[in-house]
């Protein structure tokens, strides 16, 4: 049952609005004003908006901050919940019920709408007579401000989907915040969010929208900036994956979503949702398994096996090969296998299949001699550029640093292609800026491998940092392997060897460099470089304080 809401002091009515933007907040006084202002700014960009902020019984001053904003902005209304709902669905429903605009959008208090987002969606919805309009979203990693597109394949071009069933890829975008909805459409089909402590409520809401088969328009315009603060003391509900209950909640939300689509007769969408679970959700959580304790892994394994047991072979085959191989290992093994690193490396993006490489009695590639029933199907027919090749990279940090590479053969596929050279490219993580590219010849090595060494020019990396003395700059590495038969492939480099430790080096240009090679959560090699005495001193002082 929905609790009575207390309106804020001041104006409770807004002039006629085309769009109602519902902002939900709980104990987020540091960010909520920025979110609300980004919503109010849509008015000056060309849309008549009202902003409805729902304070979910905050205790940190969020409610007072919203009331202060409302006194300055007549188009902002604030609703205060008497008790915290425990989730995002209930406050969004409160805002939806209070909305007066023809269309509605949703915004979380720690995110922002880029300028012109609402007008762009409104123009598309009106032009195409579509009750739902959806635009591009970026995940902005803070504080680095690295933007990662969300489901970019859906938003490369403008497109009109007259029947979502004919566009099953739409189920991959489970967000509710990068979309504009006609309120009459939502009311006609009784589409609301799950109430109370329901994690991943947007999965269910999106399934209800797609089940109603609206005419839907997608646009390439950026309409939502999703802030990701991994170092925050309190993680958002979706990012707080440390407890296995988060995985259980994700399974429950996904199961409910599939049931909604099936009950509405949207069979193709239901199948696509199951495929998305394998390709995205399963792979993401497997990638993190090595960071969890034994109790988490055991319970995660039990929950996952129980859920995957309901998937049929057609749904497995529809998923990408690495994802369905992972699913089959989980189903075949009663408990997490000892070679857990092989699973987590295969779940990386791009996936890496670590040796050894086993075959069954018929010569088919299989996961291991102990799990011969897990066939690595399609491995023999995959094009070279799609093979999950493993390339180990061992950094040797010094005045003349080098990167030692080892490319592993895989069931004879690479030997047939004939690797001859490798380009190692550096990418600055903050903005994906391209850094130095070094090329080396690959030579046959022991145990069916190819090896190479490339120079590690740390001074060049430091020169490409924003400015000296501003702190460490993170760099990722990507290898492009060229083969004698004209084929090739790109792969991230797996961190290996004993050299993953921080080093301080003297530099003629920068006086001093602080270099730290490290393995990412997915096992890839990355490098942090800080230049200048002040920068190195600040980092050392921070470590001493901790």
């Amino acid at each position: 049952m929905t609790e009575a809401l207390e309106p804020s002091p001041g104006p409770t009515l807004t002039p006629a609005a085309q769009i109602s933007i519902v902002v939900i907040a709980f104990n987020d006084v540091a960010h909520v004003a920025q979110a609300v202002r980004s919503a109010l700014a849509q008015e000056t960009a060309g849309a008549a908006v009202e902003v409805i902020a729902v304070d979910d019984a905050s205790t940190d001053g969020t409610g007072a901050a919203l009331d202060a904003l409302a006194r300055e902005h007549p188009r902002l209304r604030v609703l205060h919940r008497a008790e915290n709902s425990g989730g995002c669905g209930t406050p969004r429903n409160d805002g939806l019920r209070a909305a007066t605009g023809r269309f509605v959008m949703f915004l979380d208090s720690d995110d922002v709408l880029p300028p012109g987002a609402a007008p762009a969606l409104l123009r598309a919805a009106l032009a195409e007579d579509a009750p739902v309009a959806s635009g591009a979203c970026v995940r902005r990693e803070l504080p680095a401000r690295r933007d990662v597109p969300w489901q970019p394949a859906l938003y490369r071009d403008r497109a009109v989907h007259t029947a979502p069933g004919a566009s099953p890829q739409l189920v991959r975008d489970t967000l509710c915040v990068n979309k504009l909805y006609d309120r009459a459409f939502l009311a006609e089909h009784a589409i609301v969010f799950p109430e109370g402590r329901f994690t991943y409520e947007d999965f269910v809401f999106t399934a209800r929208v797609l089940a109603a088969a609206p005419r839907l328009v997608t646009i390439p315009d950026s309409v939502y900036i999703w802030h990701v603060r991994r170092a925050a003391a309190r993680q958002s509900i979706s990012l707080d994956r440390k407890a296995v209950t988060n995985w259980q909640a994700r399974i429950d939300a996904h199961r409910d979503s599939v049931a909604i689509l099936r009950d509405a007769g949207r069979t193709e969408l239901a199948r696509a949702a199951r495929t998305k679970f394998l390709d995205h959700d399963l792979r993401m959580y497997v990638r993190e398994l090595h960071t969890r304790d034994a109790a988490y892994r055991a319970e995660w394994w039990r929950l996952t096996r129980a859920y995957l047991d309901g998937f049929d072979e057609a749904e497995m085959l529809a998923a990408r090969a690495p994802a369905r191989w992972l699913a089959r290992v989980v189903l075949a093994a009663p408990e997490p296998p000892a070679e857990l690193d092989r699973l987590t490396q295969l779940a990386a993006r791009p996936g890496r299949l670590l040796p050894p490489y086993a075959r069954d009695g018929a010569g088919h590639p299989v996961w291991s001699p102990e799990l011969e029933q897990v066939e690595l199907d399609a491995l023999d027919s995959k094009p070279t550029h799609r093979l999950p090749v493993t390339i180990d990279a061992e950094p040797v940090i010094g005045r003349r640093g080098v990167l030692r590479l080892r490319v592993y053969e895989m069931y004879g596929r690479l030997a047939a292609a004939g690797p001859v050279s490798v380009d190692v490219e550096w990418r600055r993580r903050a903005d994906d800026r391209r850094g130095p590219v070094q090329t080396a010849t690959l030579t046959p090595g022991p145990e069916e491998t190819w090896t190479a060494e490339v120079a590690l020019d740390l001074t060049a990396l430091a020169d490409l940092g924003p400015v000296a003395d501003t702190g460490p700059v993170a760099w990722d590495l990507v290898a492009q392997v060229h083969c004698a038969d004209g084929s090739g492939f790109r792969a991230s480099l797996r961190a290996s060897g004993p050299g993953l430790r921080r080093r301080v080096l003297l530099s003629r240009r920068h006086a001093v460099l602080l270099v730290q090679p490290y393995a990412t959560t997915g096992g890839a090699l990355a490098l942090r470089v800080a230049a200048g005495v002040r920068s190195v001193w600040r980092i050392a002082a921070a470590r001493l304080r901790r």
Side-chain angles (χ1 to χ4, degrees):
M1 180 176 178
T2 303
E3 303 209 21
L5 298 176
E6 302 171 4
S8 64
T12 58
L13 299 176
T14 57
Q18 294 170 300
I19 303 173
S20 299
I21 303 176
V22 176
V23 184
I24 61 170
F26 171 66
N27 282 358
D28 200 14
V29 68
H31 307 118
V32 67
Q34 182 185 25
V36 169
R37 288 193 176 101
S38 77
L40 290 166
Q42 304 302 310
E43 172 83 16
T44 58
V49 303
E50 67 170 356
V51 180
I52 302 170
V54 184
D55 170 31
D56 200 3
S58 297
T59 58
D60 70 340
T62 294
L66 288 172
D67 288 341
L69 282 170
R71 287 190 287 271
E72 299 175 19
H73 301 280
R75 285 190 174 271
L76 170 62
R77 285 190 286 154
V78 182
L79 305 178
H80 297 277
R81 290 189 54 79
E83 293 185 12
N84 179 255
S85 69
C88 297
T90 297
R92 285 193 184 129
N93 287 338
D94 291 339
L96 182 57
R97 282 187 288 269
T100 63
R102 175 181 171 183
F103 295 92
V104 65
M105 293 179 66
F106 301 101
L107 172 62
D108 290 347
S109 62
D110 53 351
D111 301 329
V112 293
L113 299 178
L121 289 170
L122 178 64
R123 286 192 298 270
L126 295 176
E128 304 296 345
D129 191 24
V132 181
S134 183
C137 166
V138 296
R139 289 167 53 98
R140 178 165 291 168
E141 299 272 355
L142 296 175
R145 292 183 64 84
R146 180 192 185 200
D147 286 351
V148 180
W150 168 257
Q151 299 296 337
L154 287 174
Y155 297 104
R156 290 196 179 102
D157 303 295
R158 184 186 180 107
V160 178
H161 307 270
T162 55
S167 305
Q169 69 272 20
L170 291 172
V171 301
R172 291 183 173 267
D173 184 4
T174 52
L175 299 181
C176 70
V177 289
N178 59 332
K179 299 173 179 68
L180 179 82
Y181 305 94
D182 188 314
R183 284 200 308 116
F185 163 78
L186 297 180
E188 177 186 355
H189 297 280
I191 297 173
V192 294
F193 291 90
E195 294 275 352
R197 297 183 182 276
F198 193 102
T199 310
Y200 301 110
E201 73 296 327
D202 45 355
F203 285 24
V204 172
F205 184 85
T206 299
R208 288 171 176 167
V209 169
L210 294 177
R215 182 179 174 88
L216 189 152
V217 57
T218 54
I219 61 174
D221 307 60
S222 178
V223 302
Y224 199 85
I225 299 176
W226 175 2
H227 286 152
V228 180
R229 298 177 173 89
R230 299 189 189 278
R234 182 175 65 88
Q235 290 286 350
S236 65
I237 292 174
S238 61
L239 283 179
D240 189 5
R241 299 195 291 265
K242 295 185 296 295
V244 75
T245 50
N246 175 276
W247 179 237
Q248 176 69 76
R250 198 175 191 104
I251 289 175
D252 291 343
H254 185 265
R255 182 187 289 112
D256 289 352
S257 302
V258 171
I260 289 167
L261 295 169
R262 283 179 174 166
D263 291 346
R266 315 298 176 197
T267 306
E268 289 304 313
L269 290 177
R271 283 191 173 275
R274 301 265 266 191
T275 300
K276 174 260 179 187
F277 180 84
L278 298 174
D279 282 336
H280 178 72
D281 305 67
L282 177 69
R283 202 165 171 176
M284 176 170 58
Y285 281 73
V286 169
R287 192 162 57 242
E288 299 173 347
L289 267 183
H290 68 288
T291 68
R292 311 304 187 201
D293 61 26
Y296 176 103
R297 294 175 191 171
E299 180 62 8
W300 185 94
W301 203 263
R302 185 191 69 80
L303 292 169
T304 309
R305 293 188 81 215
Y307 189 50
L308 293 180
D309 190 52
F311 283 55
D312 60 35
E313 184 62 15
E315 290 166 339
M316 288 286 189
L317 290 174
R320 297 181 178 94
R324 64 174 179 264
W325 298 344
L326 293 170
R328 286 170 176 164
V329 171
V330 173
L331 286 170
E335 57 187 23
E339 65 272 20
L340 187 63
D341 190 45
R342 291 192 79 209
L343 278 180
T344 58
Q345 292 285 334
L346 186 59
R349 295 190 182 276
R352 296 179 286 272
L353 181 61
L354 272 56
Y357 302 122
R359 294 183 184 270
D360 63 12
H364 300 131
V366 295
W367 178 253
S368 69
E370 296 75 27
L371 295 177
E372 282 194 351
Q373 66 270 45
V374 180
E375 182 180 346
L376 305 181
D377 60 306
L379 192 58
D380 289 334
S381 59
K382 274 182 173 292
T384 306
H385 70 277
R386 293 200 177 277
L387 291 174
V389 176
T390 295
I391 304 177
D392 280 352
E394 178 183 351
V396 180
I397 307 298
R399 288 186 62 190
R400 296 183 180 274
V402 297
L403 199 61
R404 295 172 179 163
L405 305 180
R406 182 181 299 271
V407 182
Y408 289 89
E409 170 62 291
M410 183 182 295
Y411 294 105
R413 292 298 311 277
L414 292 192
V420 292
S421 66
V422 59
D423 300 330
V424 175
E425 178 183 309
W426 296 85
R427 291 276 183 174
R428 194 164 68 186
R429 177 167 293 185
D431 54 9
D432 207 34
R433 176 180 176 179
R434 187 177 181 181
V437 178
Q438 282 109 2
T439 300
T441 299
L442 286 166
T443 58
E447 301 177 356
E448 297 186 305
T449 62
W450 292 262
T451 61
E453 285 192 359
V454 298
L456 199 54
D457 191 344
L458 300 171
T459 299
L461 294 181
D463 289 344
L464 289 171
V467 263
D469 297 327
T470 58
V473 177
W475 294 88
D476 295 313
L477 297 92
V478 177
Q480 175 73 45
V481 173
H482 305 278
C483 300
D485 67 354
S487 65
F489 56 89
R490 289 174 68 85
S492 59
L493 304 177
R494 183 175 70 140
S496 67
L500 301 183
R501 63 180 187 273
R502 184 183 281 110
R503 294 286 301 275
V504 178
L505 303 175
L506 297 179
S507 168
R508 290 182 179 178
R509 188 172 304 174
H510 301 285
V512 64
L513 296 177
L514 182 63
V515 183
Q516 182 184 17
Y518 66 98
T520 66
T521 300
L525 177 65
L527 203 72
R528 294 189 186 97
V529 180
V533 175
R534 287 173 54 197
S535 180
V536 173
W537 171 250
R538 279 203 304 271
I539 294 169
R543 283 180 59 83
L544 288 173
R545 284 195 298 271
R546 289 199 297 269

